[in-house]
Amino acid sequence: MSTPLLWDQFRNRMVFEARLVAVSALRIGRGQESFDPTGTDLPVLRGVDERPFIPGSSLRGVLRSYVERVVRSFESPPPPGEPWRGRGACNPLSFTDNCLPADQVKKWRQHRGDGLELAHRAWDASCRVCRLFGSTVLASRVRFADLLPVDAEPVTAIRDGVSINREKETVENKYDFEVVQPGAVFALKVVAENVTNAELGLLALGLQALARGEIDVGGFKGRGLGRVRLESPTVRWLATDDREALKAYLRTGTLEPVPDAEKQLSAWVDALIADLEEASA
Ligand SMILES: [Zn+2]
């Protein structure tokens, strides 16, 4: 397959949409404490309109981790020093198991050559997951929009928490935190562009797990928070080599959903499985 980095054209687009429903309370925080003396210690994240929302980056992170774990169970890393060539799943946070170690990227950047050459090297070096979800060098081909509330305004509540000193087994600190109550509904929209069917399979694996309630979002998961499920999934798909579909899209600017979203996701997962098997053969 050619390097998508060189694709100066629009080849295909997949749009997945669904309602993400909070099954348990959700703890989507700011990641820093509030110093508002009238407020709670840990408020939920709110948008400019003051309504709670889930950052797309947060959902994308948990989905990516899930996909990495699945890929690792199918594909092992290459021998040390060899490029990953679109196989396996590296650990982007590790210095040793990272398909694009920072010192390597630094060397490439110092080496005279243009950005395109760097992109080629990075593409060759990258693992299956970094190629799709992106890395410090490669742009992601999957976008997760921020998940804004739909239907009613999400209800929030304040809960009490304590932190325990593990050594002394005493209560160290009492604090409270805000949660979004169960039943809140958020709009999920994921867009992938210029992707192969096997790459869509990778994304579909994560989306299916999310739909089944196997992926938790936000913080305090150990307390049973963060359980979600998906409702009413739709898949829209346009491949520009389908000239009639492309013309219709250009005329109207809209894409019709495929008749059966779940069947379509499964078909892409099948393409991924075929690709994994071919790689290990
Ligand atoms: Zn990687």
Side-chain angles (χ1 to χ4, degrees):
M1 173 194 147
S2 61
T3 311
L5 298 158
L6 303 179
W7 292 358
D8 50 359
Q9 309 174 18
F10 166 41
R11 297 286 178 96
N12 58 53
R13 170 180 289 167
M14 192 284 299
V15 182
F16 177 90
E17 285 176 287
R19 292 157 56 85
L20 182 138
V21 183
V23 175
S24 69
L26 302 184
R27 169 68 214 148
I28 312 289
R30 219 176 289 261
Q32 67 184 48
E33 285 187 30
S34 154
F35 294 103
D36 174 4
T38 61
T40 172
D41 297 327
L42 299 168
V44 297
L45 191 59
R46 290 169 192 274
V48 284
D49 60 1
E50 290 299 314
R51 293 189 306 161
F53 77 105
I54 304 172
S57 57
S58 142
L59 192 66
R60 169 205 171 85
V62 286
L63 211 111
R64 177 176 181 150
S65 305
Y66 174 85
V67 162
E68 283 173 357
R69 289 200 303 276
V70 174
V71 170
R72 276 185 208 124
S73 67
F74 278 92
E75 292 182 316
S76 343
E82 280 189 30
W84 290 59
R85 297 213 164 90
R87 304 293 174 201
C90 79
N91 180 355
L93 301 177
S94 158
F95 287 112
T96 48
D97 302 329
N98 187 338
C99 66
L100 281 177
D103 55 347
Q104 181 68 70
V105 173
K106 204 174 153 196
K107 263 185 227 158
W108 288 342
R109 287 209 160 108
Q110 284 162 349
H111 177 263
R112 62 198 171 88
D114 55 16
L116 211 54
E117 194 187 322
L118 173 66
H120 272 300
R121 284 170 181 251
W123 181 255
D124 190 49
S126 292
C127 72
R128 189 184 283 281
V129 179
C130 285
R131 278 190 179 182
L132 179 64
F133 284 87
S135 62
T136 54
V137 181
L138 295 178
S140 172
R141 281 171 290 136
V142 187
R143 291 196 309 275
F144 284 71
D146 285 341
L147 291 86
L148 303 179
V150 284
D151 302 344
E153 170 105 9
V155 178
T156 62
I158 305 293
R159 292 194 179 185
D160 290 321
V162 287
S163 58
I164 307 288
N165 184 314
R166 305 259 171 222
E167 273 171 32
K168 296 183 196 155
E169 292 183 353
T170 54
V171 171
E172 187 133 275
N173 188 20
K174 287 194 183 189
Y175 60 97
D176 56 38
F177 59 96
E178 192 181 20
V179 295
V180 170
Q181 293 285 60
V185 185
F186 298 88
L188 168 67
K189 184 176 186 181
V190 183
V191 180
E193 277 184 358
N194 293 348
V195 281
T196 64
N197 283 349
E199 286 172 330
L200 285 167
L202 210 55
L203 186 57
L205 265 187
L207 292 171
Q208 284 178 330
L210 194 65
R212 286 194 301 262
E214 291 170 16
I215 297 180
D216 296 338
V217 302
F220 292 179
K221 290 169 191 165
R223 300 169 194 236
L225 269 59
R227 300 194 37 221
V228 297
R229 65 184 156 77
L230 297 187
E231 281 178 357
S232 319
T234 62
V235 170
R236 290 162 213 269
W237 168 249
L238 175 68
T240 57
D241 54 8
D242 179 346
R243 305 314 281 183
E244 287 312 308
L246 177 62
K247 278 189 265 178
Y249 174 67
L250 293 177
R251 265 186 228 115
T252 63
T254 55
L255 278 179
E256 286 300 311
V258 301
D260 187 335
E262 273 135 42
K263 200 171 149 193
Q264 182 64 71
L265 293 182
S266 296
W268 285 328
V269 170
D270 287 345
L272 169 68
I273 292 168
D275 193 59
L276 289 165
E277 281 179 343
E278 192 188 313
S280 63

